């Protein structure tokens, strides 16, 4: 998992504070399809807000789901607040 500075975390939280979540995790939890969509959105936007529905929290906690999503996407977990978490990943450089 990538680590980011406190200043960068603050910047990402500020950028996404008024944005609505773009991905919702439902009762099936973190499925491969959701992981693919997280990957696509991180490639495009670098930062992402995800909401976990209550039905997904019956088996796992929000923190464990967020941590797994961050590890799968090789992104930094910026914040977990209630049922919402934020991921950030620096753009990958293209090989020459």
């Amino acid at each position: 998992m990538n680590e980011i500075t406190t200043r960068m975390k603050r910047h990402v939280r500020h950028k996404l504070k008024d944005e609505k979540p773009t991905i919702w995790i439902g009762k099936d939890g973190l499925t491969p399809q959701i992981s693919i969509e997280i990957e696509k959105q991180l490639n495009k936007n670098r930062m992402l807000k995800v909401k976990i529905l209550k039905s997904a929290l019956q088996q796992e906690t929000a923190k464990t789901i967020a941590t797994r999503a961050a590890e799968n996407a090789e992104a930094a977990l910026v914040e977990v607040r209630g049922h919402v978490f934020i991921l950030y990943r620096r753009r990958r450089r293209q090989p020459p």
Side-chain angles (χ1 to χ4, degrees), residues 11-87:
H11 172 72
V12 171
R13 281 196 308 261
H14 177 73
K15 285 286 226 186
L16 294 179
K17 72 178 181 183
D18 294 328
E19 298 293 322
K20 294 189 178 189
T22 55
I23 294 179
W24 289 267
I25 297 178
K27 65 181 176 184
D28 295 333
L30 190 64
T31 63
Q33 293 85 5
I34 292 177
S35 295
I36 291 168
E37 185 61 29
I38 288 173
E39 189 73 30
K40 283 181 190 176
Q41 289 191 23
L42 282 174
N43 285 336
K44 185 178 179 184
N45 299 328
R46 295 190 313 178
M47 48 188 102
L48 173 66
K49 199 174 209 182
V50 183
K51 181 170 177 99
I52 306 169
L53 301 179
K54 287 183 183 178
S55 58
L57 295 174
Q58 294 175 355
Q59 293 90 11
E60 298 180 276
T61 65
K63 181 78 173 171
T64 57
I65 292 173
T67 305
R68 254 189 330 136
E71 288 173 356
N72 291 347
E74 296 177 0
L77 180 61
V78 176
E79 175 182 50
V80 179
R81 183 174 288 183
H83 298 239
V84 178
F85 64 92
I86 298 174
L87 296 177

